[in-house]
Structure formats: structure tokens, C-alpha cells
Amino acid sequence: MKKQMLIVALAGLTGSLLAAEANTKEEVINAAKKLGEKANYSWKTTVVVPESAQFKPGPSEGKTEKDGFTHVKMSLRDNTTELVKKGDKVAFTNPDGDWQSPADAKDAQGPGRFMAGMARNFKAPAAQAVEVAEATKDLKKDGDVYSGDLTEEGAKNLMRFRRGGTDGGPTIKDAKGSAKFWVKDGVLSKYEYKVAGSMNFNGNDIDVDRATTVEVKDIGSTKVEVPEGAKKKLS
């Protein structure tokens, strides 16, 4: 009898813990969605990789408005690239600074092809944070901070800059990672995710170890200014 009661008690405790983990993930997702419901906001993204990494993304700054334009400036190697998106339409600058659409770059190779894929699948922080939260196994709450490990599939998707692309991206092995979210007054204010693993490019295995941090700012006071060249491509 005592043994049965212990089993029932443990089952109840396990169920409560699972429910709590599910609730914390839902809290983060709701906080990210609340950010997306704001009239506008800005953000800064920083990426940290080992000194030995071949590809070192620089910081990027972005601004977005609800149901309007999103404008991002990002550093890639020695170049600064701009991206503007509205709905399903997107435009970005090539190495010469000219605005183009993914269709314009359909036959491009190297950086041009990479940027076309990134632009096509770009998501502003509110939407990306939901994607990252859904990619976690579970989340634990400590004050206003939520943290947890990524699933293997979630880590793979986040390792691919062109996640969601039609070609599926490079082959990835031993993918793992973690995520952390900061929530203030029920709204997402910051998040970071770390991924590590091995990625195969053209038969060569490349080790990946990357930490991405996104900090949200100027909620409700951000103004998005769109370059004329981007407007023409989006019209």
C-alpha cells in the first residue's frame, strides 16, 4: 500500500514538473508575441565565435514597426549590408551597395547566394525568439530569466543561417546548444542562444561554436527610415 502511494506521489510530482516546464516555455513565447504586438522597437545583435573561426559576423542593428517595414544593417566581413522587409517582400544590398531582391540574385554564387537565402528567411526578434523557445527541450525560470537546452534538431536549425531554405542547408553533426531569455513586465527584452557542432561544406567538416545575443530597445519610440532604393524593389 505504501509503495503504491509512493508511486502515485512520484507520478504526481513528475506531472507537476512537466506542467511547470511547459508553462515557462509558454510564458516566454507569450512574452515574445507581446513584443511583436508593440507598435515598433529596435534591437542590436552580437555574435561571438572563436578567434579561429573562418566566418565572423559583425554586430547588426535593426528597427521594425508592426505591419510595416523592418530595416536591418549588418556587418559581414569587411562589408556592411542592409536589408529591408515588409510582409513577404524583401530587398538587400549587394557588395557594391545596390539594392536587389532574392530573384535578382537567383544565379549568384558565394556571398550573393548566401545573402539571398538569409534575406528570404529573415525574421525580426519577436518571431525569431518564438522559434528559439520552441526549439528548447524545456525552460527553467529564475526571477525574470528563463534558460534551457536546445533539442538536437533545434540546434541544427539555428546553426544554419539560411534555416528554412529550400536546399535544407549543409549537413550538420553533433549539434547541441542552449538558450536564455530575459522578460521585463511580461515583454521579451533580451535573448541569447549558443550552438555548437560540425557542419559540412563541400565535403569539408567545419567546427561551429557560436553565441548570438539580441538586445531589444526603444520600444514604442523607434522610427523606421527606408532607403528609396529598397522601396523601389519592394513596390
Side-chain angles (χ1 to χ4, degrees), residues 104-178:
D104 295 331
K106 65 179 181 179
D107 296 325
Q109 298 297 320
R113 183 179 180 184
F114 176 85
M115 275 305 305
M118 179 182 286
R120 189 165 40 241
N121 297 294
F122 175 81
K123 293 182 180 180
Q128 189 193 49
V130 170
E131 179 182 81
V132 176
E134 290 177 340
T136 61
K137 298 175 183 177
D138 55 61
L139 289 170
K140 292 180 173 57
K141 183 178 180 180
D142 183 6
D144 292 331
V145 182
Y146 301 74
S147 58
D149 292 329
L150 297 169
T151 64
E152 182 180 5
E153 191 59 33
K156 284 182 178 180
N157 289 335
L158 290 170
M159 282 177 69
R160 298 185 179 104
F161 282 108
R162 291 183 296 158
R163 53 188 175 281
T166 54
D167 61 1
T171 301
I172 294 175
K173 297 185 298 183
D174 303 322
K176 60 182 179 180
S178 61

